[in-house]
Amino acid sequence: MYRILFSILLCGVLLQPVNGQTHIQLVREGGQKSFAENVPAGNYSGITYIGNDEYAVVSDKAPEDGFFVFKITIDSITGNISQIVNLGFRSSHKPNRDEEGIAYLAARQTILISGEGDMAIKEYGLDGIPTGREAAIPKLFHKASANLGFEALTYSSATKMLWTCNESTLPGDGEQADGAPLARNRIRLQAFDESLQPAKQYAYQMDEPLMNQSAGLCTHGVPELVALDDGSLLVLEREFFVAESKLGSFVNCKLFQVFPALGQSLSTENTLTVHSPFLEKTLVHEWQTSVGLLDYDIANYEGMCLGPRLHDGSQVLILVADSQNQYAGILQDWFKVLILK
């Protein structure tokens, strides 16, 4: 799948209560960087913090099932990434299953990884070896179209809830925005409890894509979620448009916040319609990257996780792009930060 780049925007923010909850807003958008000398070309699709400035990162086309560990140094004042060091790949010694999302369970010191190939969420030790535990996936998710299943995975140790979702509309829930002009993808946000059993599920509706299929190739979906300690979720909406001439291709990203506890949960027996109880969402930030005559900074961000808090109390959000193994020498393995408060 293709990913995104950005244009730098700065905006001051204030905390705003939303029905008794705190609404996250952008403080600053950091620059986009690549670290080609230390980070091998890959298909990075998920990232999670595991402690001591170390992050577990999955690549959906790695030779084997498992994860990398990157040491990421972040400036405690600006929040910018100053250095990344690859500490190596921890393999399960099993075939890659199109690993897309990754989350860390600090209490168990284990890693959970979602696979789009098998639509499973499996647990691993920090050595990369499977523990044998996996999430009980509701059957309806197995209807997901190829490459439009479990991209996202996130966990909050405060709420003790694991979250995932389908990337695009499930068959039977409506039209997929990739092929239908002005269609809005209908997404199911699925929570799991500590025992990895299904908990509540909520309906989420994406914005309309900026472009439609007839103008070129367009991919539109939710590649990532981040669970916050107050029970809210950050939802990344990503649209990748590839023009026939390649010039003018772009990736548009929108970051929203939703509060599932304020919404109405779903029954897995019901299909999604225009009358479904979609969660209210609030835009945190939007940015776009594109291909121009001399500009090849287009970046496909698929992974996202919380980083450290800075000296001023603001929160770093780290994003990592899937370069399709640095496709055609144009795409790069970009890393980016958003500073939130």
Side-chain angles (χ1 to χ4, degrees), residues 138-156:
K139 292 182 180 179
L140 84 167
F141 285 108
H142 291 286
K143 300 188 301 182
S145 302
N147 295 318
L148 294 175
F150 288 157
E151 287 265 346
L153 195 66
T154 184
Y155 176 78
S156 167

PDB file of all heavy atoms in Angstrom, residues 138-156:
ATOM      1  N   PRO A 138     -13.792 -11.616  15.810  1.00  0.00           N
ATOM      2  CA  PRO A 138     -15.172 -11.806  15.340  1.00  0.00           C
ATOM      3  C   PRO A 138     -15.202 -12.233  13.877  1.00  0.00           C
ATOM      4  O   PRO A 138     -14.438 -11.730  13.048  1.00  0.00           O
ATOM      5  CB  PRO A 138     -15.787 -10.411  15.532  1.00  0.00           C
ATOM      6  CG  PRO A 138     -15.001  -9.803  16.649  1.00  0.00           C
ATOM      7  CD  PRO A 138     -13.595 -10.303  16.442  1.00  0.00           C
ATOM      8  N   LYS A 139     -16.079 -13.158  13.547  1.00  0.00           N
ATOM      9  CA  LYS A 139     -16.083 -13.782  12.222  1.00  0.00           C
ATOM     10  C   LYS A 139     -16.260 -12.787  11.084  1.00  0.00           C
ATOM     11  O   LYS A 139     -15.726 -12.982   9.989  1.00  0.00           O
ATOM     12  CB  LYS A 139     -17.180 -14.847  12.161  1.00  0.00           C
ATOM     13  CG  LYS A 139     -16.910 -16.062  13.036  1.00  0.00           C
ATOM     14  CD  LYS A 139     -18.021 -17.096  12.897  1.00  0.00           C
ATOM     15  CE  LYS A 139     -17.742 -18.309  13.762  1.00  0.00           C
ATOM     16  NZ  LYS A 139     -18.837 -19.319  13.662  1.00  0.00           N
ATOM     17  N   LEU A 140     -17.009 -11.717  11.312  1.00  0.00           N
ATOM     18  CA  LEU A 140     -17.315 -10.825  10.190  1.00  0.00           C
ATOM     19  C   LEU A 140     -16.068 -10.174   9.608  1.00  0.00           C
ATOM     20  O   LEU A 140     -16.056  -9.805   8.429  1.00  0.00           O
ATOM     21  CB  LEU A 140     -18.315  -9.746  10.614  1.00  0.00           C
ATOM     22  CG  LEU A 140     -17.820  -8.479  11.311  1.00  0.00           C
ATOM     23  CD1 LEU A 140     -18.945  -7.453  11.336  1.00  0.00           C
ATOM     24  CD2 LEU A 140     -17.337  -8.774  12.713  1.00  0.00           C
ATOM     25  N   PHE A 141     -14.989 -10.046  10.402  1.00  0.00           N
ATOM     26  CA  PHE A 141     -13.769  -9.431   9.879  1.00  0.00           C
ATOM     27  C   PHE A 141     -13.083 -10.296   8.832  1.00  0.00           C
ATOM     28  O   PHE A 141     -12.301  -9.801   8.018  1.00  0.00           O
ATOM     29  CB  PHE A 141     -12.795  -9.096  11.017  1.00  0.00           C
ATOM     30  CG  PHE A 141     -13.198  -7.902  11.827  1.00  0.00           C
ATOM     31  CD1 PHE A 141     -13.676  -8.051  13.119  1.00  0.00           C
ATOM     32  CD2 PHE A 141     -13.125  -6.618  11.300  1.00  0.00           C
ATOM     33  CE1 PHE A 141     -14.059  -6.952  13.870  1.00  0.00           C
ATOM     34  CE2 PHE A 141     -13.506  -5.509  12.043  1.00  0.00           C
ATOM     35  CZ  PHE A 141     -13.980  -5.680  13.333  1.00  0.00           C
ATOM     36  N   HIS A 142     -13.360 -11.580   8.845  1.00  0.00           N
ATOM     37  CA  HIS A 142     -12.736 -12.474   7.861  1.00  0.00           C
ATOM     38  C   HIS A 142     -13.330 -12.285   6.466  1.00  0.00           C
ATOM     39  O   HIS A 142     -12.841 -12.875   5.504  1.00  0.00           O
ATOM     40  CB  HIS A 142     -12.850 -13.922   8.317  1.00  0.00           C
ATOM     41  CG  HIS A 142     -12.003 -14.239   9.516  1.00  0.00           C
ATOM     42  ND1 HIS A 142     -10.642 -14.367   9.444  1.00  0.00           N
ATOM     43  CD2 HIS A 142     -12.338 -14.398  10.817  1.00  0.00           C
ATOM     44  CE1 HIS A 142     -10.146 -14.625  10.650  1.00  0.00           C
ATOM     45  NE2 HIS A 142     -11.159 -14.645  11.500  1.00  0.00           N
ATOM     46  N   LYS A 143     -14.354 -11.446   6.355  1.00  0.00           N
ATOM     47  CA  LYS A 143     -14.912 -11.115   5.048  1.00  0.00           C
ATOM     48  C   LYS A 143     -14.147  -9.973   4.383  1.00  0.00           C
ATOM     49  O   LYS A 143     -14.441  -9.618   3.237  1.00  0.00           O
ATOM     50  CB  LYS A 143     -16.380 -10.691   5.184  1.00  0.00           C
ATOM     51  CG  LYS A 143     -17.303 -11.745   5.771  1.00  0.00           C
ATOM     52  CD  LYS A 143     -18.759 -11.317   5.680  1.00  0.00           C
ATOM     53  CE  LYS A 143     -19.028 -10.009   6.403  1.00  0.00           C
ATOM     54  NZ  LYS A 143     -20.450  -9.608   6.364  1.00  0.00           N
ATOM     55  N   ALA A 144     -13.179  -9.389   5.075  1.00  0.00           N
ATOM     56  CA  ALA A 144     -12.476  -8.221   4.550  1.00  0.00           C
ATOM     57  C   ALA A 144     -11.845  -8.505   3.191  1.00  0.00           C
ATOM     58  O   ALA A 144     -11.326  -9.595   2.939  1.00  0.00           O
ATOM     59  CB  ALA A 144     -11.396  -7.773   5.529  1.00  0.00           C
ATOM     60  N   SER A 145     -11.907  -7.504   2.316  1.00  0.00           N
ATOM     61  CA  SER A 145     -11.275  -7.634   1.003  1.00  0.00           C
ATOM     62  C   SER A 145      -9.763  -7.756   1.164  1.00  0.00           C
ATOM     63  O   SER A 145      -9.183  -7.277   2.147  1.00  0.00           O
ATOM     64  CB  SER A 145     -11.608  -6.411   0.143  1.00  0.00           C
ATOM     65  OG  SER A 145     -13.001  -6.255  -0.001  1.00  0.00           O
ATOM     66  N   ALA A 146      -9.110  -8.391   0.195  1.00  0.00           N
ATOM     67  CA  ALA A 146      -7.657  -8.571   0.246  1.00  0.00           C
ATOM     68  C   ALA A 146      -6.950  -7.235   0.400  1.00  0.00           C
ATOM     69  O   ALA A 146      -7.292  -6.257  -0.268  1.00  0.00           O
ATOM     70  CB  ALA A 146      -7.184  -9.271  -1.026  1.00  0.00           C
ATOM     71  N   ASN A 147      -5.996  -7.177   1.315  1.00  0.00           N
ATOM     72  CA  ASN A 147      -5.192  -5.987   1.586  1.00  0.00           C
ATOM     73  C   ASN A 147      -6.000  -4.829   2.159  1.00  0.00           C
ATOM     74  O   ASN A 147      -5.527  -3.689   2.177  1.00  0.00           O
ATOM     75  CB  ASN A 147      -4.450  -5.509   0.321  1.00  0.00           C
ATOM     76  CG  ASN A 147      -3.439  -6.520  -0.153  1.00  0.00           C
ATOM     77  OD1 ASN A 147      -2.719  -7.119   0.652  1.00  0.00           O
ATOM     78  ND2 ASN A 147      -3.377  -6.735  -1.458  1.00  0.00           N
ATOM     79  N   LEU A 148      -7.196  -5.097   2.661  1.00  0.00           N
ATOM     80  CA  LEU A 148      -8.012  -4.036   3.269  1.00  0.00           C
ATOM     81  C   LEU A 148      -8.555  -4.491   4.620  1.00  0.00           C
ATOM     82  O   LEU A 148      -9.637  -4.097   5.036  1.00  0.00           O
ATOM     83  CB  LEU A 148      -9.171  -3.650   2.333  1.00  0.00           C
ATOM     84  CG  LEU A 148      -8.764  -2.998   1.011  1.00  0.00           C
ATOM     85  CD1 LEU A 148      -9.995  -2.786   0.129  1.00  0.00           C
ATOM     86  CD2 LEU A 148      -8.037  -1.672   1.244  1.00  0.00           C
ATOM     87  N   GLY A 149      -7.767  -5.305   5.313  1.00  0.00           N
ATOM     88  CA  GLY A 149      -8.183  -5.845   6.606  1.00  0.00           C
ATOM     89  C   GLY A 149      -7.549  -5.133   7.780  1.00  0.00           C
ATOM     90  O   GLY A 149      -7.674  -3.922   7.937  1.00  0.00           O
ATOM     91  N   PHE A 150      -6.838  -5.908   8.621  1.00  0.00           N
ATOM     92  CA  PHE A 150      -6.253  -5.360   9.845  1.00  0.00           C
ATOM     93  C   PHE A 150      -4.938  -4.641   9.554  1.00  0.00           C
ATOM     94  O   PHE A 150      -3.865  -5.242   9.555  1.00  0.00           O
ATOM     95  CB  PHE A 150      -5.993  -6.475  10.861  1.00  0.00           C
ATOM     96  CG  PHE A 150      -7.233  -7.041  11.490  1.00  0.00           C
ATOM     97  CD1 PHE A 150      -7.220  -8.312  12.034  1.00  0.00           C
ATOM     98  CD2 PHE A 150      -8.408  -6.318  11.549  1.00  0.00           C
ATOM     99  CE1 PHE A 150      -8.352  -8.855  12.624  1.00  0.00           C
ATOM    100  CE2 PHE A 150      -9.550  -6.831  12.131  1.00  0.00           C
ATOM    101  CZ  PHE A 150      -9.519  -8.121  12.669  1.00  0.00           C
ATOM    102  N   GLU A 151      -4.999  -3.339   9.313  1.00  0.00           N
ATOM    103  CA  GLU A 151      -3.794  -2.512   9.205  1.00  0.00           C
ATOM    104  C   GLU A 151      -3.409  -1.959  10.571  1.00  0.00           C
ATOM    105  O   GLU A 151      -2.242  -1.781  10.874  1.00  0.00           O
ATOM    106  CB  GLU A 151      -4.041  -1.343   8.248  1.00  0.00           C
ATOM    107  CG  GLU A 151      -4.093  -1.716   6.790  1.00  0.00           C
ATOM    108  CD  GLU A 151      -2.750  -1.538   6.103  1.00  0.00           C
ATOM    109  OE1 GLU A 151      -1.870  -0.885   6.678  1.00  0.00           O
ATOM    110  OE2 GLU A 151      -2.599  -2.048   4.989  1.00  0.00           O
ATOM    111  N   ALA A 152      -4.404  -1.646  11.397  1.00  0.00           N
ATOM    112  CA  ALA A 152      -4.190  -0.892  12.636  1.00  0.00           C
ATOM    113  C   ALA A 152      -4.156  -1.807  13.860  1.00  0.00           C
ATOM    114  O   ALA A 152      -4.838  -2.827  13.909  1.00  0.00           O
ATOM    115  CB  ALA A 152      -5.303   0.140  12.795  1.00  0.00           C
ATOM    116  N   LEU A 153      -3.361  -1.410  14.867  1.00  0.00           N
ATOM    117  CA  LEU A 153      -3.358  -2.095  16.159  1.00  0.00           C
ATOM    118  C   LEU A 153      -2.788  -1.138  17.200  1.00  0.00           C
ATOM    119  O   LEU A 153      -1.757  -0.501  16.974  1.00  0.00           O
ATOM    120  CB  LEU A 153      -2.526  -3.373  16.100  1.00  0.00           C
ATOM    121  CG  LEU A 153      -2.731  -4.348  17.269  1.00  0.00           C
ATOM    122  CD1 LEU A 153      -4.147  -4.921  17.250  1.00  0.00           C
ATOM    123  CD2 LEU A 153      -1.703  -5.468  17.235  1.00  0.00           C
ATOM    124  N   THR A 154      -3.453  -1.051  18.358  1.00  0.00           N
ATOM    125  CA  THR A 154      -2.984  -0.155  19.414  1.00  0.00           C
ATOM    126  C   THR A 154      -3.504  -0.644  20.759  1.00  0.00           C
ATOM    127  O   THR A 154      -4.554  -1.293  20.835  1.00  0.00           O
ATOM    128  CB  THR A 154      -3.443   1.297  19.152  1.00  0.00           C
ATOM    129  OG1 THR A 154      -2.894   2.166  20.154  1.00  0.00           O
ATOM    130  CG2 THR A 154      -4.961   1.410  19.173  1.00  0.00           C
ATOM    131  N   TYR A 155      -2.774  -0.313  21.832  1.00  0.00           N
ATOM    132  CA  TYR A 155      -3.136  -0.755  23.180  1.00  0.00           C
ATOM    133  C   TYR A 155      -2.860   0.366  24.162  1.00  0.00           C
ATOM    134  O   TYR A 155      -1.852   1.083  24.046  1.00  0.00           O
ATOM    135  CB  TYR A 155      -2.327  -1.995  23.570  1.00  0.00           C
ATOM    136  CG  TYR A 155      -2.582  -2.466  24.986  1.00  0.00           C
ATOM    137  CD1 TYR A 155      -3.727  -3.196  25.304  1.00  0.00           C
ATOM    138  CD2 TYR A 155      -1.676  -2.179  26.000  1.00  0.00           C
ATOM    139  CE1 TYR A 155      -3.965  -3.624  26.609  1.00  0.00           C
ATOM    140  CE2 TYR A 155      -1.897  -2.606  27.305  1.00  0.00           C
ATOM    141  CZ  TYR A 155      -3.041  -3.325  27.606  1.00  0.00           C
ATOM    142  OH  TYR A 155      -3.277  -3.754  28.897  1.00  0.00           O
ATOM    143  N   SER A 156      -3.745   0.520  25.129  1.00  0.00           N
ATOM    144  CA  SER A 156      -3.538   1.468  26.224  1.00  0.00           C
ATOM    145  C   SER A 156      -3.437   0.702  27.529  1.00  0.00           C
ATOM    146  O   SER A 156      -4.363  -0.040  27.887  1.00  0.00           O
ATOM    147  CB  SER A 156      -4.693   2.472  26.302  1.00  0.00           C
ATOM    148  OG  SER A 156      -4.639   3.194  27.528  1.00  0.00           O
TER     149      SER A 156
END
